[in-house]
Amino acid sequence: MPTREQDRILVTGAAGQIGTELVLALRERFPAGNVVAMYRSTPLAPEVAAGGPSAVSDVTDAKGYAQVVAEHDIDTVYHLAAILSVGGEQDPKKCWEVNVGGLLTVLEVAHERQQRLFCPSSIAVFGPNTPAVAPQETPLHPTTMYGVTKVAGEILCDYWFQRYGVDVRGVRYPGLISWKAPPGGGTTDYAIAIFHAALRDGSYECFVSPATRLPMMYMDDAIRGTLGLMNAPFKALNHHADFNLGAMSFKASDLADAIAQRVPGFTCSYAPDARQAIANSWPDAVDDSAARDEWGWSPRFGLEEMVDDMLENLRHGLGTE
Ligand code: NAD
Ligand code: AKB
């Protein structure tokens, strides 16, 4: 069942890269007073804080989370609170506690209250043995703790659907590129930092090698895909929380070249660090035919369109236009 006008929606991780934009998008489509932005320590973006209700809670605090849900009488949850790949390698135990422990709490409450749930996965579920173009169905052997938690999360979501009938959906987002909120500590963050450095300094030292190719997506497409999946008729879905979602695939040097064509004098140097090994373990691209067939997924932004839009918005924000 698609989200109804009167439904009350909770977004966890609402201060994050995706949460900031998802809350704003949901408040454009539904009554703003029905969209609750939940955050922990990172403050909400000013327009998110000012535009509707918010709540402070930690997803590893089961009692506190259940209280927030009860107080706001929540029907649908977009569960975005998580630790990403770089943070996960710095503190693997915390990554498990937040990403798996937190998800368990959210799933239990969803079952009790018959909520609909969106819970994203990541291309991090794949590992070094995944084919270059990751199939929808393939053995999942990630080599990062973040990837391990995302595989566990997909399986938990499927279990809650099969055992309890919870309507839980999710996509394996590629690396997301956006300008409204900073990224939260991932390997694909280079593809955002490069824009800021290009406009600020005219140069960037990239932490992955020029030949590093990864699946990427512009945030506009990610938000459209998220809402599209949540709006799809339940009966049309054969998959639930593990849809591959594709948009573009480029090498770090392709991105640097596209920026150099638009920012005169921009140069990019390369000094791969520990994040290179994480990037090397992920595929180049994904086969997203299941998302296209089951709920009509189709991306709008390729590399050139994304670079134009990023530069336009960042220049506008910097007052350089
Ligand atoms: P982010 O790091 O920008 O935001 C996550 C938010 O969760 C942060 O504001 C953080 O403060 C909050 N958080 C962390 N621990 C918490 C806890 N214990 N309780 C409550 N809040 C907590 O992440 P994002 O990029 O917005 O990612 C959102 C989701 O999308 C995650 O599940 C992530 O794995 C997934 N994803 C993101 C990308 C991407 O490129 N951004 C790609 C693939 C998947
Ligand atoms: C990360 O790099 O950790 C995230 C992701 C691809 O899940 N952006």
Side-chain angles (χ1 to χ4, degrees):
M1 181 177 61
T3 305
R4 299 158 304 180
E5 184 74 8
Q6 71 272 25
D7 283 351
R8 299 192 55 86
I9 300 168
L10 181 73
V11 179
T12 75
Q17 188 195 359
I18 304 175
T20 298
E21 300 214 26
L22 185 63
V23 169
L24 297 173
L26 287 166
R27 285 181 181 159
E28 271 175 20
R29 288 163 179 77
F30 302 103
N34 288 359
V35 181
V36 182
M38 190 187 113
Y39 65 109
R40 190 188 46 161
S41 46
T42 308
L44 296 171
E47 64 268 45
V48 172
S54 58
V56 182
S57 186
D58 188 318
V59 289
T60 61
D61 168 14
K63 211 170 145 199
Y65 174 78
Q67 260 169 15
V68 167
V69 166
E71 265 165 37
H72 293 275
D73 197 16
I74 296 298
D75 303 290
T76 300
V77 177
Y78 290 80
H79 175 46
L80 305 181
I83 307 290
L84 275 64
S85 58
V86 176
E89 292 313 288
Q90 284 158 0
D91 192 341
K93 186 163 176 273
K94 183 173 172 204
C95 183
W96 179 267
E97 284 164 4
V98 173
N99 294 8
V100 181
L103 175 61
L104 266 175
T105 296
V106 170
L107 284 166
E108 277 174 342
V109 172
H111 173 216
E112 276 160 31
R113 299 183 69 96
Q114 298 286 297
Q115 292 167 332
R116 297 177 71 234
L117 180 60
F118 176 81
C119 181
S121 185
S122 163
I123 52 159
V125 294
F126 302 116
N129 297 330
T130 303
V133 179
Q136 177 66 49
E137 315 296 344
T138 192
L140 300 177
H141 297 294
T143 49
T144 62
M145 178 50 101
Y146 174 60
V148 170
T149 67
K150 287 294 173 185
V151 173
E154 289 184 359
I155 297 170
L156 281 173
C157 288
D158 272 350
Y159 180 85
W160 251 256
F161 161 67
Q162 281 162 15
R163 169 126 194 217
Y164 303 117
V166 173
D167 179 353
V168 50
R169 307 175 185 199
V171 295
R172 294 170 176 158
Y173 289 128
L176 299 183
I177 301 172
S178 67
W179 53 272
K180 282 193 189 159
T187 305
T188 57
D189 293 8
Y190 90 83
I192 300 170
I194 191 171
F195 285 95
H196 291 271
L199 294 177
R200 191 183 55 233
D201 309 323
S203 63
Y204 178 62
E205 186 178 272
C206 185
F207 60 75
V208 296
S209 69
T212 304
R213 180 183 282 282
L214 288 169
M216 297 278 188
M217 180 178 288
Y218 199 40
M219 186 62 83
D220 296 46
D221 273 338
I223 298 295
R224 219 168 36 76
T226 302
L227 299 177
L229 173 58
M230 286 301 272
N231 218 19
F234 191 62
K235 284 191 179 146
L237 304 180
N238 295 321
H239 296 82
H240 294 278
D242 61 356
F243 282 100
N244 281 359
L245 203 64
M248 57 186 106
S249 161
F250 54 77
K251 293 185 288 181
S253 60
D254 297 333
L255 178 58
D257 290 346
I259 294 173
Q261 280 165 15
R262 295 157 172 89
V263 179
F266 171 66
T267 55
C268 188
S269 57
Y270 297 88
D273 65 15
R275 291 169 280 192
Q276 182 69 53
I278 302 178
N280 288 348
S281 76
W282 292 347
D284 294 352
V286 298
D287 170 6
D288 61 2
S289 45
R292 290 172 187 263
D293 294 348
E294 293 178 35
W295 51 278
W297 165 246
S298 175
R300 291 192 182 149
F301 285 81
L303 175 63
E304 304 296 330
E305 297 82 8
M306 178 275 287
V307 172
D308 282 338
D309 207 67
M310 277 294 281
L311 288 173
E312 187 184 328
N313 282 297
L314 289 175
R315 281 184 171 131
H316 187 67
L318 293 170
T320 54
E321 269 187 345

